[in-house]
Amino acid sequence: MLKCTACGRAYSLRKPYQRCECGEPLELELFKSVPRIGKRVWERFSGFFPFELNPELSLGEGDTALIKAKRLSKELGVKLYLKNETTNPTWSFKDRGTYLGIHRALQLGFKKIGTVSTGNMAASVAAYGAYSGLETYILVSSTIAEEKLKALEVYGAKVIKVRGDYGELYYRSLEIGRRKGIYFINSDDPFRIEGYKSISFEIAEEVTPDYVLVPTSSGGLFRGIVKGFLELKESDLIEKLPTFVAVQAEGCSPICKAFIEGEKKIEPFENPHTIAHAIENPYPPSGNAVLRLLKELNGLCITVSDEEILDAQMSLGSEGVFVQPASATGIAALRKLFERKIEENAKVVSVLTGSGLKTLSHVKAGEIMECSLEKLEECMR
Ligand SMILES: *Cc1c(COP(=O)(O)O)cnc(C)c1O
Ligand SMILES: [Zn+2]
């Protein structure tokens, strides 16, 4: 059974319902189970997923490293862990959700899938669509940089540039999908959320965090991570929930704005502008759902500037991880939390959502030394 995150109305699982008539996203119930022994997170937590997962549809997503951040831990007086999602098959956490979404599309008998995205989710859906032999439609904004389209061509997806309101495209794609038999695995599809839960399971296998920092755009990832921890708690596998911290870019922070102003609903964010393009959704489809979770669970919403983001990106580089700007926002937010006093030695997990190789042009090129072969030893003094 699918249930509305806002009004609680129930919907059958036999049809491809994705959103409630009231406009808000749907969600599966909380699963209660026990972990098993297994090589992959999908096996160890198989009791927490809505159907049996088929390894033949997998490109090897999940089971990413949780890295101890040595320098940043020392600097900030906390125990900081980095959940490195950059090592997923298409270099972002989106693959976990796409893997579940593909199962859902096949279960319902769809032969075609799609998504609305400008970046990481497009690449992810294109790759999994190719691997599972489904016809794949990727709808992008007409202003997209050509560079981003290349990967999609490699995977053989049908890419369509759409002129018009990009926020509206999300809703239109669901309508068109219903008519044309295309299952759109969009940003906060109920089954995408189910895939994202696996991040929480993996974290909990290694540490019991006090804080979890989540870069937040549509709100799908945040909802998935919260649902994962709620299920662990319901199953008596953890004693207490961490404080969930949604992090947004100052230049596009519709959720934090509503949260700080005590509003019940988000409003479209005017003139969004940030270097963190992967989290630049001005009217997030799960914004209201995230807002509710933040209030219910005493979460925090923190905004960070582009400058703070780029600094954080460099700090992560010094820990040996290269992330894209959107993924550095958690560390930028942690610096702010630190100023407001976070308990000493608090255990903090920052989710590093995607790889920096996708946004190379944002990295400031430093000066590079040049030297002749003869003088090389001298140069290296
Ligand atoms: C998609 C994405 C996010 C945000 O996830 P939402 O589910 O849209 O909130 C954060 N970082 C990166 C790199 C992403 O690709
Ligand atoms: Zn509803």
Side-chain angles (χ1 to χ4, degrees):
M1 197 82 102
L2 286 158
K3 252 183 149 180
C4 175
T5 51
C7 72
R9 189 174 158 176
Y11 290 80
S12 158
L13 273 168
R14 282 197 297 272
K15 284 191 176 168
Y17 294 114
Q18 289 165 312
R19 295 190 81 86
C20 181
E21 272 175 27
C22 79
E24 290 296 300
L26 299 178
E27 189 164 276
L28 283 142
E29 81 249 70
L30 289 183
F31 289 83
K32 265 205 259 186
S33 187
V34 282
R36 310 195 166 93
I37 291 174
K39 191 159 159 277
R40 306 203 46 197
V41 68
W42 310 123
E43 300 166 39
R44 295 193 300 281
F45 290 85
S46 55
F48 292 84
F49 297 109
F51 28 65
E52 205 176 313
L53 295 170
N54 180 358
E56 290 189 7
L57 297 172
S58 170
L59 285 168
E61 61 297 311
D63 291 299
T64 60
L66 188 72
I67 306 165
K68 268 190 198 157
K70 294 185 191 136
R71 289 163 192 246
L72 280 163
S73 290
K74 216 166 168 191
E75 179 196 329
L76 300 170
V78 296
K79 289 202 177 101
L80 173 63
Y81 300 85
L82 308 170
K83 186 62 175 158
N84 185 12
E85 291 297 302
T86 73
T87 59
N88 277 296
T90 70
W91 311 285
S92 88
F93 73 91
K94 294 288 194 311
D95 294 336
R96 297 179 188 256
T98 307
Y99 179 52
L100 270 278
I102 292 275
H103 281 81
R104 177 63 173 162
L106 290 171
Q107 178 191 52
L108 292 168
F110 283 85
K111 304 269 188 304
K112 302 173 197 166
I113 56 164
T115 199
V116 173
S117 163
T118 52
N120 292 322
M121 196 163 54
S124 180
V125 171
Y128 282 76
Y131 192 58
S132 58
L134 295 166
E135 205 170 298
T136 306
Y137 292 83
I138 310 286
L139 308 183
V140 301
S141 147
S142 58
T143 56
I144 191 174
E146 283 300 314
E147 188 62 29
K148 289 191 177 172
L149 297 175
K150 294 215 174 114
L152 308 179
E153 277 167 37
V154 170
Y155 295 127
K158 293 189 166 52
V159 182
I160 305 172
K161 288 190 195 176
V162 187
R163 288 185 303 274
D165 186 300
Y166 186 71
E168 175 72 20
L169 183 55
Y170 171 102
Y171 296 94
R172 286 295 279 283
S173 71
L174 297 184
E175 273 172 40
I176 294 169
R178 272 197 292 276
R179 286 198 291 271
K180 294 192 107 47
I182 305 168
Y183 190 81
F184 272 88
I185 314 172
N186 286 351
S187 54
D188 63 345
D189 176 273
F191 292 84
R192 196 169 263 296
I193 308 297
E194 294 300 305
Y196 295 164
K197 288 188 322 197
S198 57
I199 298 175
S200 309
F201 301 157
E202 290 172 26
I203 292 172
E205 286 181 308
E206 298 196 55
V207 294
T208 315
D210 300 305
Y211 294 85
V212 181
L213 304 160
V214 188
T216 301
S217 185
S218 75
L221 175 61
F222 186 89
R223 286 179 50 211
I225 286 179
V226 169
K227 190 165 191 275
F229 278 103
L230 287 174
E231 294 184 355
L232 291 169
K233 177 111 192 311
E234 285 278 302
S235 307
D236 287 323
L237 295 166
I238 56 170
E239 270 174 30
K240 71 167 193 60
L241 293 172
T243 300
F244 298 103
V245 186
V247 188
Q248 298 207 286
E250 259 172 34
C252 184
S253 45
I255 300 174
C256 289
K257 183 165 183 287
F259 183 68
I260 290 156
E261 291 171 359
E263 302 289 344
K264 279 211 181 70
K265 290 205 156 181
I266 58 155
E267 294 283 336
F269 198 87
E270 305 276 331
N271 305 316
H273 184 78
T274 170
I275 192 165
H277 297 299
I279 54 168
E280 201 176 14
N281 188 332
Y283 195 46
S286 275
N288 296 328
V290 170
L291 209 52
R292 260 191 310 277
L293 290 172
L294 286 173
K295 281 187 198 149
E296 267 171 41
L297 304 172
N298 279 317
L300 300 167
C301 206
I302 295 184
T303 62
V304 291
S305 70
D306 280 5
E307 201 182 324
E308 291 164 336
I309 292 171
L310 289 174
D311 279 352
Q313 187 187 34
M314 297 304 280
S315 302
L316 284 166
S318 71
E319 300 283 355
V321 193
F322 182 25
V323 301
Q324 53 190 265
S327 312
T329 54
I331 297 305
L334 179 57
R335 287 227 167 88
K336 288 196 156 166
L337 267 182
F338 174 69
E339 284 158 19
R340 284 201 233 158
K341 285 255 182 304
I342 176 169
E343 314 83 83
E344 200 158 329
N345 280 325
K347 282 179 267 175
V348 182
V349 175
S350 187
V351 184
L352 306 185
T353 48
S355 166
L357 285 175
K358 293 207 183 186
T359 52
L360 271 180
S361 59
H362 291 317
V363 181
K364 286 171 278 181
E367 218 161 284
I368 293 178
M369 199 196 303
E370 197 172 333
C371 186
S372 68
L373 190 53
E374 290 74 29
K375 289 206 178 135
L376 182 54
E377 201 163 339
E378 228 174 280
C379 286
M380 291 173 74
R381 260 179 317 159

